[in-house]
Amino acid sequence: MIKVYVVSACLLGHNCKYNGGNNENSAVMEFCKTHNHIGVCPEKVSGLPVPRDPAEFINGRVVNRSGEDVTEYFEIGTNKVIGYLEKFTGGDLSLISGAILKANSPSCGSGEIYDGTFSGKIISGDGMLAAALKAHGIPVYTEKNLSELLDSEGEVR
């Protein structure tokens, strides 16, 4: 079986981050040189502009710094990514070996997300896409714990 990983597009150097930049990560880029991967940005495919106001979870909703509830965009983006993955795998998401997503993001954060105060404070939680992938049994990593994935793959570092 071919291993395929879902990877946040911003970690691959795509300028889809809220501020118009990216979060290119050399370790993720090196991993992707030797592994099949699909780059995704649920926020971009949702129709949100680049650049855009940063957003964080507040009381179970995703709200941008201006106070606008953008939850629907995050739901649309998550659903589009999951739909694409279902088409790609013929409906068998177990063919996705794992995901490497952007830490702390309201879309992609895994295990930790920003707390909703726009102060950089971190709390326990998952972004929408990370939660959806986990619900489908797909292991989710971030650039912060990529070493765990490398260890599980038996990668030499």
Side-chain angles (χ1 to χ4, degrees):
M1 175 168 66
I2 295 175
K3 291 186 174 189
V4 177
Y5 293 86
V6 177
V7 181
S8 289
C10 64
L11 295 173
L12 297 172
H14 296 266
N15 292 328
C16 52
K17 188 175 169 179
Y18 75 90
N19 64 6
N22 64 67
N23 295 303
E24 186 174 314
N25 182 282
S26 60
V28 173
M29 298 286 285
E30 282 299 311
F31 179 86
C32 289
K33 285 180 181 178
T34 58
H35 293 80
N36 296 311
H37 62 280
I38 301 167
V40 300
C41 179
E43 294 172 32
K44 179 81 168 118
V45 300
S46 75
L48 285 170
V50 176
R52 59 189 169 272
D53 276 350
E56 297 183 6
F57 273 99
I58 300 174
N59 297 323
R61 306 292 295 173
V62 183
V63 179
N64 68 21
R65 189 182 309 216
S66 299
E68 178 186 7
D69 186 326
V70 292
T71 305
E72 184 177 345
Y73 286 100
F74 282 71
E75 291 169 342
I76 289 168
T78 295
N79 290 335
K80 282 187 173 185
V81 170
I82 295 296
Y84 175 77
L85 296 175
E86 287 173 338
K87 282 184 184 177
F88 179 80
T89 63
D92 185 1
L93 290 182
S94 71
L95 297 175
I96 304 293
S97 299
I100 306 168
L101 302 180
K102 177 66 188 112
N104 308 328
S105 158
S107 289
C108 297
S110 178
E112 296 180 330
I113 56 173
Y114 291 114
D115 74 345
T117 63
F118 298 93
S119 65
K121 185 177 177 194
I122 303 295
I123 58 172
S124 293
D126 288 325
M128 278 194 195
L129 178 60
L133 292 172
K134 288 177 179 182
H136 286 284
I138 298 169
V140 178
Y141 303 88
T142 70
E143 74 279 14
K144 290 182 175 182
N145 68 352
L146 183 59
S147 63
E148 293 176 22
L149 174 58
L150 297 176
D151 289 345
S152 72
E153 292 271 312
E155 299 275 329
V156 176
R157 284 182 276 140

